[in-house]
Amino acid sequence: MNTRKLQTKISSLRGSIKVPGDKSISHRSIMFGSIAEGKTTVENFLPGADCLSTISCFKALGVQISADGDSVSIIGKGLEGLIEPVEQLDVGNSGTTIRLMMGILAGIDFHVSIQGDSSIAKRPMNRVVQPLRQMGAKIDGRKDGNFTPLSLRGGQLRGIRYELPVASAQVKSSILLAGLQAEGETVIIEPEKTRDHTERMISLFGGEIEKDGHKITIKGGQKLKGTHISVPGDISSAAFFMAAAAITENSEVVLENVGLNPTRTGIIDVLKEMGADITIDQAEESGEPYGTITVRSSQLRGITIGGSLIPRLIDEIPIIALLAAHASGTTIIKDAAELKVKETNRIDTVAGELSKLGADILAADDGLIIKGGKPLAGNTVSSHGDHRIGMMLAIAGLITEGEMNLTGSEAIEVSYPQFFDHLNTLLPS
Ligand code: S3P
């Protein structure tokens, strides 16, 4: 495990960054390219550890994939082209890889054994195992299939009508990928709208999908055709620098080519409501909307965040907690119990680590209560192996007095390998 000395209290943050490709879209580009027929090319792919896990799993399933930095090409031979892997598939730290891939494998009559790292071993898989079993897949694993290692034997699936018990794009996507192969129609009802990259990608690969409010319908037996995908920058990565510019003095940061899919832009709504100086310049849409975001030093105030906004910013809650710790007044984050089953229990890790710096932050059952405005003081903090906790703490350093060290800084590689290089380019020389 690495310990990294963090940059503390700075006088300004200025410059422009092209954030790396979106993690969710990068995963899906490999998966859809692998099950489609013909060649798929991907530009601005995120070569972070999580998406590389997806590539290695699909290579192990017999797909020809060549990656050169952020360019990838995939020779898809359809679902029939996937072969029974000799070894156990390893998803590393990636919940998206395991949950979506299971939806694909559920429809194929061969045996697969899947595992990941120690964080994956704690994350609930029942949420996908249950509906996939209802559709006809045979899945087993630790604790009746709720935890890895999992073993799966797919086969002919039947369409189901499924009301999602939790708002989860991973579960929705897994069922959609199974639904593509099932007999008849699959209908999914979401309690709240979640990121819709899978639905968009099905259309992009020539598939048919119907959306009506919170209801999504897909017909089985569809074949997809390889295509070209240009991945927009990840708003979840941009969020760290958006926050950094807002909480530091004399700052202006421009973030180029950031994905602005409305199911992901909750962080922009929050920054605006907190009083941030933020400008959005949206470009022409091509599959996924994107644009340039500029954020300047801001006076922030506490707000209440909950309800349908939560899935639109679920991955940004660690950095929102830091914004709240810096803002005047109280911020309440509620309806976010899902945070407990992310890469770490993010209610506990965010509250624990920000408390170490002197923030007034309380862990609640379904969120956090933060009384902002207390000055932060340096300490040794930990990522707990969670990339977003690591990046949030590195940004916290920028407003912290004294020395600060981050243990487990290598976790950041999961979604933003150039994070510290990009941060350095913004610092005063
Ligand atoms: C993701 C969905 C979200 C998100 C995760 C990526 C995806 O998880 O937290 O980082 O790519 O579908 P849930 O769907 O479990 O909420």
Side-chain angles (χ1 to χ4, degrees):
M1 205 162 46
N2 296 339
T3 297
R4 189 178 176 113
K5 187 165 190 253
L6 295 175
Q7 171 69 48
T8 50
K9 192 87 174 178
I10 55 164
S11 54
S12 88
L13 199 66
R14 303 188 87 84
S16 165
I17 285 177
K18 186 173 171 289
V19 293
D22 186 273
K23 180 158 81 70
S24 292
I25 300 174
S26 294
H27 280 302
R28 286 160 174 80
S29 69
I30 302 302
M31 296 188 187
F32 279 96
S34 295
I35 64 170
E37 282 165 13
K39 187 171 176 176
T40 289
T41 46
V42 188
E43 67 176 83
N44 201 35
F45 174 80
L46 167 66
D50 262 16
C51 300
L52 296 178
S53 293
T54 295
I55 292 189
S56 69
C57 286
F58 279 86
K59 278 186 173 171
L61 288 161
V63 185
Q64 205 183 312
I65 305 175
S66 45
D68 179 11
D70 65 0
S71 298
V72 182
S73 92
I74 307 153
I75 310 294
K77 292 190 182 151
L79 284 153
E80 306 75 41
L82 301 182
I83 57 163
E84 188 168 54
V86 177
E87 294 191 348
Q88 194 172 44
L89 299 180
D90 184 356
V91 301
N93 189 243
S94 177
T96 307
T97 308
I98 188 165
R99 295 202 179 107
L100 271 62
M101 192 169 60
M102 282 174 69
I104 294 175
L105 299 175
I108 307 174
D109 185 7
F110 57 47
H111 172 264
V112 187
S113 158
I114 314 176
Q115 62 147 15
D117 68 6
S118 57
S119 151
I120 281 291
K122 291 189 204 134
R123 300 185 68 183
M125 294 299 146
N126 250 345
R127 48 183 61 201
V128 291
V129 168
Q130 258 182 6
L132 295 176
R133 277 181 181 156
Q134 271 183 42
M135 294 177 87
K138 293 187 190 70
I139 305 170
D140 204 351
R142 206 160 44 89
K143 306 272 180 217
D144 192 28
N146 193 20
F147 296 104
T148 57
L150 293 175
S151 91
L152 185 151
R153 175 169 294 276
Q156 181 56 57
L157 302 176
R158 49 193 172 268
I160 54 167
R161 181 188 159 89
Y162 197 73
E163 290 194 21
L164 292 184
V166 284
S168 163
Q170 291 179 352
V171 179
K172 170 178 67 176
S173 302
S174 186
I175 302 172
L176 283 173
L177 284 159
L180 267 177
Q181 312 169 61
E183 235 172 62
E185 219 174 60
T186 295
V187 178
I188 300 169
I189 295 137
E190 295 193 275
E192 301 286 358
K193 282 192 183 168
T194 61
R195 65 190 67 192
D196 64 357
H197 307 301
T198 300
E199 295 91 307
R200 286 173 189 254
M201 217 169 264
I202 287 172
S203 305
L204 191 68
F205 278 81
E208 271 177 46
I209 183 157
E210 253 174 63
K211 278 195 95 168
D212 179 13
H214 288 212
K215 181 174 152 200
I216 306 154
T217 308
I218 190 155
K219 281 200 183 69
Q222 298 195 45
K223 293 216 181 298
L224 303 176
K225 269 189 106 68
T227 187
H228 177 72
I229 298 165
S230 174
V231 182
D234 198 329
I235 190 164
S236 297
S237 299
F240 295 99
F241 292 112
M242 288 156 71
I247 61 177
T248 53
E249 289 163 9
N250 308 311
S251 298
E252 178 176 288
V253 174
V254 180
L255 299 151
E256 293 163 23
N257 182 35
V258 181
L260 294 173
N261 180 317
T263 60
R264 298 282 300 280
T265 49
I267 178 69
I268 295 177
D269 298 357
V270 160
L271 276 164
K272 284 184 176 164
E273 203 186 329
M274 293 181 90
D277 183 348
I278 175 167
T279 319
I280 316 292
D281 182 10
Q282 186 153 344
E284 269 306 288
E285 191 167 328
S286 66
E288 289 277 352
Y290 67 96
T292 301
I293 302 176
T294 307
V295 183
R296 299 173 200 87
S297 309
S298 310
Q299 293 293 322
L300 301 178
R301 52 182 175 268
I303 60 170
T304 296
I305 301 167
S308 58
L309 187 52
I310 295 295
R312 295 181 54 235
L313 49 65
I314 188 72
D315 291 340
E316 285 62 78
I317 292 177
I319 194 68
I320 290 172
L322 175 65
L323 288 169
H326 182 70
S328 61
T330 300
T331 293
I332 297 171
I333 300 171
K334 56 183 188 183
D335 308 322
E338 274 294 292
L339 289 174
K340 292 182 185 167
V341 290
K342 293 295 174 190
E343 285 83 333
T344 55
N345 175 336
R346 286 187 177 155
I347 294 183
D348 290 350
T349 48
V350 167
E353 296 308 306
L354 281 176
S355 299
K356 281 189 197 164
L357 299 177
D360 184 343
I361 179 166
L362 265 182
D365 225 30
D366 67 345
L368 293 157
I369 301 162
I370 305 142
K371 289 192 182 132
K374 283 188 81 180
L376 302 185
N379 203 340
T380 294
V381 287
S382 168
S383 73
H384 295 264
D386 183 334
H387 54 131
R388 300 199 201 283
I389 301 297
M391 287 187 275
M392 178 275 282
L393 292 166
I395 300 299
L398 307 179
I399 54 164
T400 298
E401 296 279 2
E403 200 170 298
M404 208 169 143
N405 289 295
L406 173 66
T407 59
S409 59
E410 70 283 353
I412 293 172
E413 299 276 321
V414 155
S415 64
Y416 202 161
Q418 316 110 296
F419 173 78
F420 285 108
D421 295 338
H422 284 180
L423 176 56
N424 283 339
T425 67
L426 301 176
L427 296 176
S429 46

